Amino acid sequence: MPTALVTGATSGIGASCVREFIGAGWKVVGTGRRADRLEALREEMGDAFMPCVFDVRDEAARDAALDALDGDFAQIDCLVNNAGLALGMAAPWEADLNDWKTMIDTNVTALVSITRKLLPMLVERKGAIINISSVAATYPYKGGNVYGGTKAFVRQFSLGLRSDLNGTGVRVASIEPGMVETEFTVIRNGGNQEAADAFYEGVNPMTGDDIAETVLWVATLPPHLNINTLELMPVRQAFAGFSVERE
Ligand code: NDP
Ligand code: 8X3
């Protein structure tokens, strides 16, 4: 059976992807910084799961961890670039520049770097790259400035890769969810669980499992089909208009 590598497997969408892919018979390498969570997944999922602990921004640690993989776990057929985060909702003139840099380093630079590392293998194996972007790539909202910018990069990078990889058999998809109730909003709000609960209250938001089912579907389509971009929202989330300031 094929092997997937899921970044950000310790929580939310990534943890759901681990369960979904293994449920469908795949082997999965799951990455993240929280070793205890990956170990718990290993106990839950058994031998089909291989924990791989590193910070995606640390290329040396990442390479050491990935280069130590062997057997089926070293033969990646599908890279799910999921690790990522948003930090803060402040007005841009009040935002913490370090938060902006962390989002760019994680959501953009680290995603590009691990993709470049695994691309030769993915080309050789006619594999797939599934990037988790966001509706924030397309629809701007207050406080989403740099986060939305990083996700727009992920979307456009995915489309650019599609172009470059045409003829190799490698598939590339940009998955663009709206509100998914995970640890995402707790982290965005500096650990404030109440703020996160309020954000999702009454919305009936999507779950990590909803997104993972879609990711698996995209990964298991017949090899002549490519989903380029796929946007998902809860029914209760939609679009707002332009904001206009009048004199
Ligand atoms: P969670 O906060 O629940 O999960 C985020 C995952 O990313 C964790 O496993 C975390 O692992 C990992 N991660 C973050 N930073 C790093 C790092 N420096 N090194 C390694 N791993 C890291 O959020 P979600 O599941 O919701 O988010 C997953 C992806 O989905 C993100 O890219 C997010 O932008 C995107 N997304 C989320 C939406 C939502 O509404 N929830 C909507 C649209 C897109 P650890 O902390 O253990 O390192
Ligand atoms: C985040 C999506 O809708 O919570 O990527 O801003 S949303």
Side-chain angles (χ1 to χ4, degrees):
M1 283 304 281
T3 298
L5 187 147
V6 178
T7 66
T10 58
S11 171
I13 295 169
S16 288
C17 284
V18 170
R19 296 188 177 98
E20 198 70 32
F21 276 73
I22 290 177
W26 291 56
K27 295 202 166 181
V28 177
V29 178
T31 86
R33 290 166 296 185
R34 287 170 287 183
D36 54 333
R37 296 229 186 158
L38 293 177
E39 204 41 56
L41 264 181
R42 163 88 154 188
E43 276 169 31
E44 176 189 338
M45 307 308 307
D47 290 344
F49 181 69
M50 179 57 66
C52 208
V53 182
F54 58 86
D55 184 322
V56 287
R57 297 166 297 175
D58 182 342
E59 290 184 345
R62 179 203 67 199
D63 287 351
L66 294 184
D67 294 347
L69 295 169
D70 60 7
D72 289 344
F73 293 114
Q75 304 295 319
I76 309 299
D77 301 289
C78 179
L79 168 62
V80 182
N81 273 319
N82 166 76
L85 78 173
L87 293 172
M89 291 287 283
W93 59 90
E94 290 171 344
D96 184 338
L97 181 59
N98 288 322
D99 285 349
W100 286 8
K101 289 179 177 174
T102 300
M103 288 188 276
I104 294 167
D105 290 348
T106 309
N107 301 357
V108 175
T109 309
L111 181 146
V112 165
S113 181
I114 194 169
T115 302
R116 175 64 187 86
K117 179 175 173 66
L118 294 179
L119 258 171
M121 188 192 310
L122 291 166
V123 169
E124 191 188 311
R125 299 179 68 77
K126 298 189 190 306
I129 301 167
I130 302 180
N131 291 326
I132 308 299
S133 173
S134 167
V135 293
T138 304
Y139 310 102
Y141 57 83
K142 280 183 187 295
N145 40 59
V146 170
Y147 177 70
T150 66
K151 292 301 179 176
F153 176 91
V154 172
R155 174 192 167 88
Q156 198 63 17
F157 178 56
S158 306
L159 294 173
L161 282 178
R162 272 283 290 135
S163 192
D164 289 333
L165 290 165
N166 195 13
T168 66
V170 177
R171 299 190 285 183
V172 187
S174 172
I175 307 296
E176 299 163 8
M179 295 166 79
V180 188
E181 189 165 11
T182 61
E183 293 175 15
F184 176 83
T185 300
V186 183
I187 288 167
R188 182 173 223 171
N189 288 290
N192 186 338
Q193 183 68 53
E194 279 178 16
D197 291 346
F199 183 69
Y200 296 116
E201 190 182 357
V203 173
N204 197 6
M206 297 184 291
T207 64
D209 290 353
D210 291 330
I211 309 305
E213 282 174 24
T214 300
V215 172
L216 178 67
W217 174 73
V218 167
T220 53
L221 283 167
H224 66 288
L225 282 177
N226 193 93
I227 300 293
N228 297 330
T229 64
L230 198 159
E231 196 179 276
L232 309 92
M233 282 183 180
V235 172
R236 287 177 181 271
Q237 181 182 21
F239 323 102
F242 293 110
S243 72
V244 179
E245 195 225 0
R246 298 186 196 283
E247 288 185 324

